[in-house]
Amino acid sequence: MKKTYLICALLSVLVWGSACRSPYHLQHIERTRILIDKTYDAQPDMAAKAWIHPYQAQVDSMMNPVVGRVGCYLEADRPESPLSNLLTDILMWAGKDYQEKPDFAVYNIGGMRAALAEGDVTIGDVLEVAPFDNKICFVNLTGTKVKELFSQIAMQRGEGVSHGVELEITKDGQLKSARLNGKEIDDAATYRIATIDYVAQGNDKMTAFKSSTDINQPEGEENNVRFVIMDYLREMAKQGITVTAKKEGRIIVKE
């Protein structure tokens, strides 16, 4: 009887051991891009369409309201672009609502996830541009740290900077010169900067922000940058203004 128990125990160990080793081995990996566009509208999956239908009207009612209008195609790019110029200028515009008078603004290019097409701008359009829950915030940096920040922006081949910032950078990411509103950066001065909390934490390699002081970082959801953008577009629409933006030479690449 003891021998029978021993054989059963050994068989159990063998079975358990083999179960822990996967019989599968990776032999091949491939990838491809699948374009999702209106081509698929010609032959919709009726079952999927029926499943989505009850939710579509509700989502459309939230996403389709128009908040403003833009007069040209606005996209983000490095070293400078119409969309990055617009969004940083919006951060500057919003300062008054927080009793702030920033000297300049910074917005990371990586945080701008879509472009704005010419015409009406909906809530959904703004959500695509700024899908994250980043909040507007304001910080202080010394002139020395501002120069460090601009060097880090040069290394990234550009980030969004507001009107008044004038950077000359090289193709290999070196900062050649930095001026603000026509003046050299004063090492001993303190500069107030509008940005988003993600950037203010030193992310996207802008680590100079880790030396920030006097941080004003409102927590409420209403301070999400997407709502700040919507507020700006609504205000412009109320004044009958179609929003535009263009490259101004804020960041210039030189040999």
Side-chain angles (χ1 to χ4, degrees):
M1 182 62 74
K2 287 184 178 178
K3 186 176 180 180
T4 301
Y5 284 147
L6 178 61
I7 291 172
C8 289
L10 288 172
L11 285 173
S12 297
V13 170
L14 288 172
V15 170
W16 179 81
S18 64
C20 291
R21 291 193 296 272
S22 171
Y24 302 108
H25 301 281
L26 181 64
Q27 293 187 326
H28 178 65
I29 297 175
E30 66 178 25
R31 65 179 182 179
T32 185
R33 286 187 174 184
I34 299 175
L35 178 63
I36 306 296
D37 61 10
K38 63 181 180 181
T39 304
Y40 290 87
D41 294 341
Q43 295 180 327
D45 184 314
M46 300 311 294
K49 192 174 181 179
W51 186 83
I52 293 172
H53 181 72
Y55 307 101
Q56 187 168 2
Q58 186 177 357
V59 171
D60 287 349
S61 69
M62 293 188 290
M63 297 299 171
N64 286 350
V66 174
V67 294
R69 186 174 179 81
V70 297
C72 59
Y73 182 74
L74 301 174
E75 63 177 342
D77 200 1
R78 302 176 195 271
E80 181 193 356
S81 63
L83 184 60
S84 59
N85 286 354
L86 173 64
L87 296 188
T88 47
D89 289 348
I90 289 176
L91 295 180
M92 295 289 285
W93 169 86
K96 59 181 174 35
D97 295 332
Y98 300 88
Q99 294 75 52
E100 294 279 356
K101 291 183 179 179
D103 295 297
F104 66 96
V106 176
Y107 198 133
N108 60 321
I109 295 292
M112 305 171 194
R113 291 308 181 100
L116 290 175
E118 179 181 353
D120 290 341
V121 179
T122 66
I123 290 175
D125 295 330
V126 176
L127 278 171
E128 289 180 357
V129 170
F132 307 109
D133 288 335
N134 299 135
K135 294 175 174 54
I136 189 172
C137 69
F138 304 87
V139 305
N140 279 353
L141 282 181
T142 64
T144 301
K145 284 296 176 182
V146 167
K147 287 181 179 177
E148 185 178 316
L149 171 65
F150 287 157
S151 292
Q152 291 165 353
I153 288 174
M155 290 177 68
Q156 293 295 100
R157 275 62 169 183
E159 296 285 1
V161 293
S162 61
H163 180 75
V165 175
E166 306 165 44
L167 305 183
E168 288 186 1
I169 66 175
T170 63
K171 286 183 178 178
D172 62 352
Q174 302 300 310
L175 180 66
K176 291 189 68 175
S177 69
R179 295 168 67 85
L180 179 61
N181 297 319
K183 297 180 180 178
E184 300 291 333
I185 306 300
D186 181 352
D187 288 348
T190 297
Y191 294 87
R192 195 67 171 160
I193 306 164
T195 185
I196 59 176
D197 54 0
Y198 174 81
V199 173
Q201 293 162 8
N203 290 306
D204 277 12
K205 300 183 180 179
M206 288 184 271
T207 56
F209 275 115
K210 291 185 177 180
S211 301
S212 298
T213 59
D214 195 15
I215 300 170
N216 179 6
Q217 187 175 313
E219 294 294 332
E221 185 179 353
E222 69 278 9
N223 302 298
N224 284 3
V225 70
R226 68 171 70 102
F227 295 124
V228 174
I229 296 170
M230 290 178 205
D231 289 345
Y232 174 82
L233 292 169
R234 288 191 182 104
E235 179 62 30
M236 294 302 108
K238 194 182 299 180
Q239 298 178 27
I241 296 173
T242 297
V243 173
T244 60
K246 60 182 180 181
K247 295 182 182 179
E248 300 175 353
R250 300 180 187 186
I251 302 179
I252 298 174
V253 178
K254 290 205 169 184
E255 296 295 338

